[in-house]
Amino acid sequence: MTSALANRPIGLDSSERSSDELEELVALARMIAYAKCAAEDVDLVGAMHCLGMALNEVLREIGDGPHEGLADVLASKGATCLN
């Protein structure tokens, strides 16, 4: 994550973000979704809850609108992975 993104206050409109920052957020959302899916596969309830909250916050930061690579994250958000 860039230092500009780390120092940016929460709540800024996604239109104020650069495309690089949005790409980093989408990549982070994909990593969190993967970790949440892995936690679901081994039934780690606490980890699933924490990762779900983290994913929701990253998606909130990304905001509305079409972002490349985000559709699969949103599709897997509620789905079980291997079970």
Side-chain angles (χ1 to χ4, degrees):
M1 185 175 349
T2 63
S3 60
L5 182 59
N7 294 329
R8 186 175 294 244
I10 293 175
L12 288 178
D13 187 6
S14 63
S15 64
E16 297 177 22
R17 297 188 190 283
S18 72
S19 62
D20 287 341
E21 291 172 333
L22 284 174
E23 287 177 19
E24 288 179 3
L25 285 171
V26 169
L28 180 60
R30 292 183 64 144
M31 287 188 282
I32 294 171
Y34 178 81
K36 183 175 182 261
C37 191
E40 288 172 357
D41 288 343
V42 292
D43 201 28
L44 296 173
V45 178
M48 290 178 348
H49 176 72
C50 292
L51 290 166
M53 289 189 313
L55 181 57
N56 286 336
E57 288 303 309
V58 171
L59 292 174
R60 185 180 63 81
E61 283 294 311
I62 292 171
D64 295 332
H67 301 290
E68 186 175 330
L70 195 56
D72 56 339
V73 172
L74 296 175
S76 68
K77 186 177 171 190
T80 55
C81 299
L82 297 177
N83 294 335

